[in-house]
Amino acid sequence: MIIQQLCLFETQPSLIDSNENYTPSDLIDLVHKFYGFPELDPFSCELANQIIKAQKIFTIQDDGFKQNWRRAKTLWLNPPYSVGFVEKVVDKLIATLNETEAEAFLLTNTDNSTVWYEKALGRCDRFILPHTRLTFY
């Protein structure tokens, strides 16, 4: 069971909405190259999945928290960073990883002042910290 957490010094939010920060293609291209396409992206939409290329996505209408993540062997998560949301994501992800042998890639901001960040980091097998700010679309 591996959680791969891709953490950032800073993020550049999209111009549309702070909860709609789509993963930059160069970042997900690295995941595709070394791990293939994720089976599940539980917090996505059709537009974002044009880049992520997950086999299955859950949209806001599906409510990813209410869905079963345990069937997927690889998960990609770039959840909204709003207060309260990412905490729930980390809790559900860790519970899922404790029950499966899935690999997960979690893209978050770096916030070592929070309990959710400490939980994620404590469960982390690999940690990637880009040297530049990511620009979301």
Side-chain angles (χ1 to χ4, degrees), residues 1-107:
M1 290 182 253
I2 299 172
I3 181 171
Q4 311 230 9
Q5 184 175 4
L6 312 178
C7 294
L8 318 174
F9 283 116
E10 300 177 54
T11 60
Q12 177 67 44
S14 72
L15 300 175
I16 302 168
D17 183 312
S18 63
N19 278 335
E20 296 294 327
N21 293 308
Y22 303 140
T23 304
S25 61
D26 56 344
L27 181 61
I28 194 65
D29 287 347
L30 288 173
V31 173
H32 293 158
K33 179 178 179 179
F34 293 103
Y35 295 93
F37 299 106
E39 286 186 32
L40 176 63
D41 184 346
F43 302 102
S44 195
C45 66
E46 292 298 329
L47 178 62
N49 201 45
Q50 291 176 12
I51 302 296
I52 303 302
K53 298 182 172 105
Q55 294 173 21
K56 181 164 184 61
I57 65 170
F58 296 134
T59 66
I60 195 166
Q61 291 81 16
D62 298 321
D63 188 352
F65 291 114
K66 293 181 180 177
Q67 306 301 321
N68 184 350
W69 300 1
R70 292 185 302 272
R71 292 186 185 113
K73 292 184 180 164
T74 54
L75 295 95
W76 174 263
L77 298 97
N78 178 11
Y81 298 166
S82 56
V83 175
F85 196 92
V86 73
E87 292 89 336
K88 289 172 47 179
V89 170
V90 168
D91 287 344
K92 181 161 175 101
L93 178 57
I94 289 174
T96 299
L97 292 173
N98 287 340
E99 297 172 4
T100 68
E101 294 185 20
E103 287 190 311
F105 300 85
L106 175 63
L107 178 62

